[in-house]
Amino acid sequence: MKLYHLISGPLRVNAYILAGDDNEAAVIDGGESYNALKAAEKAHGFKITAALFTHAHFDHTACAKKLQRDGAKIYIGEKDAPKLAAGDTLGARFGRQVEPCTADVTVKEGDKIEVAGITLTVIETSGHTDGSVTFMGRDMLFTGDTLFLESVGRTDFPTGSRAQLIESVQKLFALPGDYKVYPGHEAFTTLSHERVFNPFTDYD
């Protein structure tokens, strides 16, 4: 399995591509730059067959419908699936036009997703949105806008909750061992680093 990383759109979303040995690939939070995803597909010779989204916000999901038209299966958390289908992705607030997309698969806590030759486990991590999820695979956590390098996601958008985010971050910190953390924005980190240095670990 190979991991590719792109910076996508004006809000600089981290878009990840997991490519398996069979040249099938899965996108995680593909972002707004559909053309960049297709360029990577062509350059590296893989085929995007799945797109997984940690939550429904437009800066992560604007590519969803286009990827679905290309044959990719769309995965998103159960509670954020209706937002994606209704186009309720905060796009209008930021002057973006995002095409609604009905997910092929909705996921919940503990679900296993077989993509790109690996198994990803779904962890429900509400707080940034009520339907936010983290995808866990091998030594990797794709945390979307839940956990960042020495920071956490904002909770002032619709369905956000500080209390839920606190619980979700503590849930991730309680995982045994260490993981590479691939967040929705900014630099990569590790779970061991965040347990020690994330200032949001000491909540009121």
Side-chain angles (χ1 to χ4, degrees):
M1 187 274 294
K2 293 182 179 179
L3 174 65
Y4 300 92
H5 169 241
L6 302 173
I7 301 293
S8 180
L11 296 184
R12 298 183 61 78
V13 163
N14 289 323
Y16 304 101
I17 304 172
L18 298 172
D21 295 335
D22 58 0
N23 290 327
E24 288 193 1
V27 173
I28 299 178
D29 285 349
E32 297 185 74
S33 301
Y34 168 78
N35 289 336
L37 294 175
K38 301 309 286 186
E41 187 179 57
K42 182 177 180 180
H44 298 290
F46 53 71
K47 173 66 177 175
I48 297 171
T49 58
L52 288 62
F53 297 100
T54 59
H55 63 291
H57 287 164
F58 75 94
D59 52 327
H60 296 252
T61 63
C63 63
K65 189 62 181 180
K66 292 179 180 178
L67 291 175
Q68 189 178 53
R69 286 199 192 95
D70 290 342
K73 187 176 290 188
I74 305 301
Y75 297 77
I76 195 169
E78 285 183 335
K79 291 183 179 178
D80 267 24
K83 302 180 186 70
L84 185 62
D88 183 18
T89 61
L90 295 185
R93 181 179 295 198
F94 288 83
R96 304 285 203 281
Q97 293 288 334
V98 178
E99 192 173 3
C101 178
T102 299
D104 297 289
V105 181
T106 60
V107 298
K108 63 184 183 304
E109 178 77 19
D111 283 351
K112 307 289 186 183
I113 304 171
E114 302 287 341
V115 292
I118 69 167
T119 301
L120 296 175
T121 302
V122 177
I123 304 173
E124 292 182 354
T125 47
S126 60
H128 182 63
T129 68
D130 60 354
S132 291
V133 298
T134 290
F135 298 108
M136 177 176 68
R138 295 182 184 173
D139 61 346
M140 304 173 291
L141 291 174
F142 298 93
T143 58
D145 288 1
T146 296
L147 179 64
F148 300 134
L149 172 63
E150 298 182 8
S151 186
V152 295
R154 57 192 294 182
T155 59
D156 56 331
F157 290 134
T159 80
S161 167
R162 182 176 183 273
Q164 290 178 5
L165 186 70
I166 291 170
E167 292 181 2
S168 293
V169 171
Q170 292 174 339
K171 183 178 183 179
L172 293 178
F173 288 162
L175 292 171
D178 196 15
Y179 288 85
K180 298 172 185 175
V181 175
Y182 296 104
H185 301 269
E186 305 299 338
F188 309 153
T189 182
T190 65
L191 202 57
S192 60
H193 180 91
E194 297 312 307
R195 290 184 184 117
V196 175
F197 295 105
N198 195 307
F200 294 89
T201 57
D202 185 17
Y203 292 102
D204 295 332

